[in-house]
Every structure is written in C-alpha cells, then in structure tokens.
Amino acid sequence: MKKKYSIFSLIKNAFSYHENWEKAWKDPVPKKEYDAVIVGGGGHGLATAYYLAKKHKMNNIAVVEKGWIGGGNTGRNTTIIRSNYLWDASAGLYDHALKIWEGLSQELNYNIMFSQRGVMNLAHNLQDVRDLKRRTHANRLNGIDAVYLNTEDVKKFCPIINTSPDIRYPVLGGTLQRRAGTARHDAVAWGYARGADEMGVDIIQNCEVKGIKRNTDGVEGIDTTKGFIKTNKIGVVAAGHSSVIANMADLKLPLESKPLQALVSEPVKPIIDTVVMSNAVHAYVSQSDKGELVIGAGTDDYVSYSQKGSHDIVEGTLNAILELYPIFSRMKMLRQWGGIVDICPDASPIISKTSIKGLYFNCGWGTGGFKATPGSGDLFAHTIANDEPHKLNAAFNINRFVSGDLVDEHGAAAVAH
Amino acid sequence: MFVIKCPFCGEREQSEFKAGGEAHIIRPKQPTELSDDQWAEYLFMRKNIKGIQFERWVHTHGCRKWFNVVRDTSSDKIKAVYKMGEKPPSE
C-alpha cells in the first residue's frame, strides 16, 4: 500500500528536504508471462492498465513503453478537455471521460490540476454560426452543457478578443461549455502509473516492441528489446506508431500519422482565464498555471514520423492569434514542438477488437486524444477484459470502415483535424 | 519543412505543394463487383509506413501537376521523384 499524498505528508517530507519520498512506481524486470500486456505507456495506456487492475481484477499485467512514460503525445498536447461533440456516439464517449475527469484527482490521490475554466469555440462566418448552434442543440439533447453566445457575450466572457467587425474573419458568436477546461498532462500519466503500480501492474520503460508472435488461435506474445513476453491479450495504445505495431501483425489500419505542432510563449501574468478555440482560422489558446500561453497549431498534410512539422503551419496559426488577440503582438514564443498523431478518415477513434484473437487496438485519436484519456482507458479495459466492447465504444469498432457506419466528426467536432 | 524537386518546375519549398497520400493504390476496374471489404481496403486502409514511402504530391502553387515522391517518413528526406505513369524506382 502506497503512502497517501496529503498536506501532512508534504510537511513531513519537508523536514528531510524532500529526499525521502517513496517511489511513485517501481522499475521492474519483465516477467516471462502476463495475463495481458498494454503496448504504450502514455496516458491512455496507463489508464487502461489502471482500470484493468481496478475494475476487472486483472493484476498480472504489464505496460511496455519504448521510451519513458508520458514522453510521447501525453507530454506534447495542449491539455484541453471538453465533450461538446456533435454525434451521439462521440458525445457519449467524450462525456464519459469528462465525468471521470471531474473526480480523478480524488480517485488517484494525485493532483492532476483539473481546472474547469470553460472552453469557448468561435464562429467566424454564417455557416459557422449555423453549425455551432446546431451543435449546441445536439449537445443539450445529449445532456452536455452548452450555450450559444453572441458577439457581445463572447467579448464579455473573454475581453481580450478582438470583436471588431472589420477584421478579416470577424467574431460572429461562439459556444461555451463551462464544464470543459484543462488538466496537467504529465500528472495524468504519473497519477495513473502510480495507481496501477500500487495494484501490481508492471510498468516497463525503455522496452520497445519488435514483433508480435501469433499462432492459429491468436496472439502468443511480444518480442521486445527486453526479451520475449508471453501473453494472449495485447492491447495496443501506441498513438502515432499504431500502424507500425499493426504491420507487425500483418494488420492494416485506416490511419495516417501526421505531425501536429504546439508552442508556448514566455510566462506572463494571468491574461486569459479560459480556453478559446477557433476552427475557421485554426487558432486555439489557453494559459498555463506557469503563465505561458499554450497555443495549438494544425497538422501538416503529409505522413511523417519525424516529430517536427512545417514552419508555415505555425506561422498561419500565429497570424490568426494576432488578429484575434492584438494584445499578444509583442509576446515572444519560448518553445515549439511536434508530436505524431494518428488520424482516422472520419476523425473518430478506434477502440476495438481486431480480426486477430487477443489483439486489441485503441488508436486513431488524431489531434484530440488527451481529453478522452480516462474514458478511453476505462472502455478499452472493458473491451480487453470481456473480449466485447462496452456500449459506449461499440460504435468505435474497426469494422465501421467496412460497414460504412462512420462517426464523422470532421468539422462537426468543433475544431479542424 | 523540406524542399521538393518538382519534376516540372525544380526545387521549391514544401509549402507550395499538397500531399496526396500513398501512391500506387489502383482504382478498381469493376467497382460494381467489389465487396464491402474490398471497398474498405481501397478507400480507407493505408500502409502508413515509418520509413520509405511512395506517395503522391501536387504542385498546388506552381504548375498544378501531380507526380510521385519516394520519401523516408522518419526523417522527411526525399530519395527520389518521378512522374505519374513512370515505374517506381526499386530502391
């Protein structure tokens, strides 16, 4: 049993200069065999392991990660959480996640710094206005909080936005989800890792999967840089590298991996206390607790695993930011980076069994996976443990690309992909 | 960000071009006879290779012609460029 984090443990450890904190997770040598192995130690993978152990009592499991946990897209995203998706299936999925977020710090005994500061989506033309109003109605029918704001309300909610009618793409209105917000991305990975480790899950870092061994029945195990691990259930949560793992099992996925960039500014005093996203001009911005502006850019249109995107994408985003927020014109950008996102043709994820018995995939989250982390882990754990999807992820099966029953969230999802 | 050598215009910045995805996916000759699985394969399934990929590009802000590129997707280094209809280089 791990010692509980609290104000008292903080004071107690201060006396020993914070040098004697208990390790949050072990660094185990892989066992020869596990009941299930999760490939990928990002937020989604660690959450999957956590819920497999907690809800499905599968404690003899491992998470293998080729780098360090939370070192991929978990540590590279812009930490935005919302559930205002258009279609019923998506609304169910993302709001399931949002409901878990609301109690996650307490559940994990780990401060994930979840802040429901609201997410506002802007409309810049008449079609945007119609789409956003439609989405607001759809959200409310699905029990998701959403309001439509006119230009005046937008200005009132976030006074630094330039709502002048003579800018290139004037602000005609927007939507607001007040329950939405941000969380500390690293803490999510670390909190889940600590919780899973406590229940006996082996978290094995610096362990890259090199092959998947199969027989006529299904999967037999994985070859890794730390040797062969026997298991008959493999859950792959490898984000941008999902296709690389799928190719090892001769499986083709409907994915393309592309660079997505983000950047942060120098830290400044509090200036924007919410998250503002704009689909039409592709600019979104929030402010971290350190005071940096966190800005998300778009994806490049070519396949790449290089973790760096094109300069013109960043330039386009910053042009839009400056037109909407002239107050930022003198700010300096501090850091810029890229991650590799796996995008499905319908911009919805896959949480599914595959044609190979014992091989499960959780992928295709594209540009917006962070917000779903707890829900994705919970539903993927259910799918792996029962060999059947939960009703909330049934629509997100791989077979939808054959049946044509797509969950088309391109554009409908309030942000371009 | 990288430079692409358009076979018609020469070297230009990548931002002048638009990527057209995996090359050499052959359009079905008898679309009416395709099963759902075959349609899914043609429309959606992609190799999404980490490494040497054969792909299509179009010079949107130039000659507007399509052509093929061989690129290492792990480093964005371009290995070869060849015109539509030409045989892809073997390696």
Side-chain angles (χ1 to χ4, degrees):
Chain A
M1 194 62 186
K2 283 195 163 55
K3 290 192 188 107
K4 210 166 153 25
Y5 288 156
S6 67
I7 183 76
F8 304 108
S9 69
L10 190 65
I11 294 166
K12 194 179 147 220
N13 278 280
F15 287 110
S16 53
Y17 304 99
H18 297 293
E19 285 172 355
N20 296 318
W21 283 99
E22 182 188 16
K23 272 210 160 73
W25 54 86
K26 299 178 285 291
D27 187 18
V29 179
K31 291 186 217 164
K32 286 207 163 52
E33 188 176 353
Y34 289 99
D35 295 338
V37 173
I38 306 302
V39 178
H44 289 239
L46 293 163
T48 305
Y50 175 84
Y51 292 113
L52 271 173
K54 187 177 179 184
K55 286 181 143 178
H56 307 283
K57 306 296 167 217
M58 288 178 69
N59 300 84
N60 182 33
I61 60 172
V63 177
V64 294
E65 163 58 45
K66 72 171 173 176
W68 62 94
I69 59 166
N73 291 352
T74 301
R76 289 164 191 265
N77 63 79
T78 50
T79 77
I80 296 166
I81 295 164
R82 59 186 179 90
S83 65
N84 54 355
Y85 280 70
L86 176 69
W87 301 111
D88 294 352
S90 315
L93 177 66
Y94 291 102
D95 210 50
H96 177 60
L98 184 47
K99 281 177 190 139
I100 304 176
W101 280 116
E102 287 174 329
L104 196 58
S105 285
Q106 284 72 25
E107 185 186 340
L108 295 176
N109 176 229
Y110 205 103
N111 186 7
I112 57 158
M113 296 161 79
F114 181 52
S115 160
Q116 291 177 298
R117 59 183 65 187
V119 168
M120 189 159 68
N121 296 102
L122 301 179
H124 296 278
N125 55 51
L126 285 176
Q127 190 57 45
D128 276 0
V129 171
R130 290 184 203 111
D131 288 345
L132 261 52
K133 280 185 177 165
R134 178 190 179 203
R135 184 165 53 70
T136 308
H137 293 314
N139 287 161
R140 292 168 76 164
L141 286 171
N142 277 317
I144 293 169
D145 69 305
V147 281
Y148 186 80
L149 308 176
N150 59 27
T151 311
E152 221 168 273
D153 296 333
V154 167
K155 184 80 180 170
K156 219 179 273 170
F157 190 69
C158 185
I160 60 169
I161 294 181
N162 180 6
T163 50
S164 157
D166 58 7
I167 63 173
R168 178 67 183 84
Y169 298 102
V171 177
L172 301 184
T175 66
L176 175 63
Q177 184 182 20
R178 290 184 192 275
R179 282 165 64 232
T182 59
R184 167 81 192 163
H185 49 8
D186 297 316
V188 178
W190 298 335
Y192 272 122
R194 179 168 170 264
D197 182 90
E198 184 170 4
M199 292 181 286
V201 175
D202 279 354
I203 296 163
I204 304 158
Q205 304 182 75
N206 297 310
C207 181
E208 187 176 352
V209 174
K210 290 290 183 188
I212 292 177
K213 208 169 167 199
R214 289 163 59 186
N215 57 24
T216 45
D217 257 1
V219 294
E220 263 184 71
I222 49 170
D223 280 314
T224 74
T225 47
K226 291 192 175 180
F228 180 72
I229 301 172
K230 199 175 162 197
T231 184
N232 51 27
K233 276 179 191 269
I234 301 170
V236 182
V237 206
H241 281 71
S242 297
S243 299
V244 176
I245 306 280
N247 288 340
M248 293 174 189
D250 300 320
L251 200 69
K252 248 179 165 181
L253 295 173
L255 297 176
E256 284 193 310
S257 296
K258 296 174 176 180
L260 174 67
Q261 296 177 88
L263 54 164
V264 296
S265 72
E266 57 190 332
V268 290
K269 286 184 177 174
I271 181 75
I272 177 165
D273 63 355
T274 184
V275 182
V276 184
M277 312 177 71
S278 170
N279 188 7
V281 298
H282 210 292
Y284 48 103
V285 64
S286 61
Q287 192 173 16
S288 75
D289 292 346
K290 284 186 282 184
E292 302 155 325
L293 295 180
V294 183
I295 294 169
T299 50
D300 278 290
D301 66 345
Y302 52 86
V303 169
S304 177
Y305 288 84
S306 66
Q307 287 193 326
K308 54 188 182 215
S310 306
H311 186 68
D312 56 293
I313 301 280
V314 171
E315 201 178 0
T317 290
L318 290 179
N319 283 343
I321 294 274
L322 289 188
E323 175 122 313
L324 280 175
Y325 313 91
I327 194 173
F328 295 153
S329 65
R330 296 295 177 92
M331 288 198 55
K332 292 183 176 68
M333 289 299 141
L334 210 60
R335 287 178 287 126
Q336 167 270 346
W337 64 91
I340 301 303
V341 297
D342 45 325
I343 301 176
C344 265
D346 60 354
S348 284
I350 294 167
I351 313 171
S352 177
K353 294 161 65 167
T354 63
S355 53
I356 300 161
K357 193 174 178 308
L359 185 62
Y360 307 86
F361 267 88
N362 184 352
C363 59
W365 288 96
T367 61
F370 177 73
K371 67 174 79 71
T373 306
S376 155
D378 183 33
L379 300 172
F380 195 42
H382 181 101
T383 308
I384 294 172
N386 300 305
D387 199 35
E388 275 302 321
H390 187 278
K391 68 176 190 319
L392 286 176
N393 69 307
F396 299 96
N397 62 69
I398 287 185
N399 241 4
R400 72 177 188 268
F401 298 97
V402 177
S403 68
D405 197 6
L406 304 180
V407 188
D408 188 5
E409 287 289 354
H410 268 296
V415 65
H417 292 266
Chain B
M1 190 176 227
F2 45 91
V3 169
I4 299 174
K5 193 175 175 186
C6 170
F8 308 97
C9 312
E11 285 189 348
R12 300 293 171 88
E13 264 185 35
Q14 172 266 322
S15 56
E16 284 193 15
F17 300 82
K18 182 114 181 67
E22 195 179 317
H24 307 297
I25 297 173
I26 297 158
R27 193 179 160 79
K29 286 209 169 63
Q30 301 279 337
T32 49
E33 283 162 29
L34 246 52
S35 69
D36 289 351
D37 279 313
Q38 287 166 317
W39 269 121
E41 180 73 24
Y42 169 68
L43 282 174
F44 299 128
M45 300 304 163
R46 295 293 177 264
K47 290 183 194 148
N48 197 22
I49 288 169
K50 183 181 187 179
I52 304 292
Q53 166 162 289
F54 293 76
E55 57 190 16
R56 301 173 305 170
W57 286 80
V58 59
H59 196 179
T60 326
H61 301 289
C63 61
R64 298 178 64 194
K65 284 189 179 125
W66 285 88
F67 56 95
N68 293 309
V69 170
V70 186
R71 184 173 56 97
D72 187 339
T73 60
S74 59
S75 64
D76 290 337
K77 291 231 161 61
I78 293 177
K79 305 289 177 189
V81 175
Y82 57 102
K83 290 180 185 168
M84 284 289 166
E86 283 180 5
K87 248 184 102 175
S90 50
E91 259 320 304

